[in-house]
Amino acid sequence: MIDKNGKLFGKINIIDLLIILVIVAAAAFFAVRYLGGGGEDSVGSTKTTVEISFYCNSAPTGIGDSMEIGATAYEDNTDKPFGKVVSFSTEPAYTYESDEDGKAAKVPEVGYDFLYVTVEVEGELTEDGIKLGGKLFSVGGGYTVHFGKVMQYGKITSITPVA
């Protein structure tokens, strides 16, 4: 197979062949990694409809006036819509500070509200969360999310399948 000049079948150098194989393997790896499936969910995966609840602290006071039921929701980094707002509510934000006796006292955070948003989405439910557009979202994870015209940083408090 390899002749006295180090060529495979008398045509190609074994070192050249190894280099070609490494290049092909690297190209295949990057193709699968960055192009494989276009970032979509797994082929043949079962889509499930769930409600994802977000908690956003330090939202500007009055942000609820800009919220709309049915608004498209999407995560800022992916910029791909993944669901619709099904409910939201706000309440005045507060924090706790020590009073004169060293006890915790509830103190309002002037200019801020707590924002609670529930979004209905369809994705691949896993034991680690839900995959939407190839990205995994998990309870406790923090994401910058657009809810229609509103953009807020929020943490997921629950992922609940819709019955």
Side-chain angles (χ1 to χ4, degrees):
M1 285 209 309
I2 300 176
D3 67 10
K4 61 182 176 181
N5 295 325
K7 293 195 178 203
L8 187 62
F9 301 113
K11 296 185 181 210
I12 187 166
N13 184 316
I14 191 73
I15 294 175
D16 292 339
L17 178 65
L18 290 175
I19 291 171
I20 291 170
L21 289 175
V22 167
I23 290 171
V24 168
F29 171 78
F30 285 108
V32 169
R33 171 98 171 147
Y34 295 107
L35 303 176
E40 296 303 315
D41 295 322
S42 304
V43 174
S45 68
T46 305
K47 298 274 188 170
T48 304
T49 302
V50 300
E51 288 186 343
I52 301 177
S53 297
F54 290 90
Y55 163 70
C56 310
N57 63 351
S58 301
T61 298
I63 199 163
D65 297 337
S66 298
M67 294 288 299
E68 295 177 9
I69 300 294
T72 300
Y74 59 94
E75 197 261 338
D76 197 47
N77 289 331
T78 61
D79 204 27
K80 290 181 182 177
F82 60 70
K84 301 283 184 194
V85 174
V86 293
S87 69
F88 66 90
S89 64
T90 62
E91 68 175 283
Y94 56 86
T95 188
Y96 289 92
E97 294 179 2
S98 296
D99 63 12
E100 304 85 35
D101 300 326
K103 295 182 180 179
K106 187 175 176 179
V107 178
E109 285 192 50
V110 178
Y112 295 99
D113 283 343
F114 293 145
L115 172 65
Y116 306 91
V117 182
T118 302
V119 177
E120 188 174 271
V121 304
E122 188 177 90
E124 181 185 356
L125 191 59
T126 72
E127 63 184 34
D128 299 322
I130 187 155
K131 281 189 174 181
L132 306 170
K135 182 172 182 175
L136 181 65
F137 292 82
S138 303
V139 173
Y143 308 92
T144 301
V145 182
H146 295 255
F147 306 107
K149 297 183 277 187
V150 172
M151 181 177 80
Q152 280 291 291
Y153 177 81
K155 291 193 174 188
I156 295 178
T157 58
S158 69
I159 299 174
T160 310
V162 174

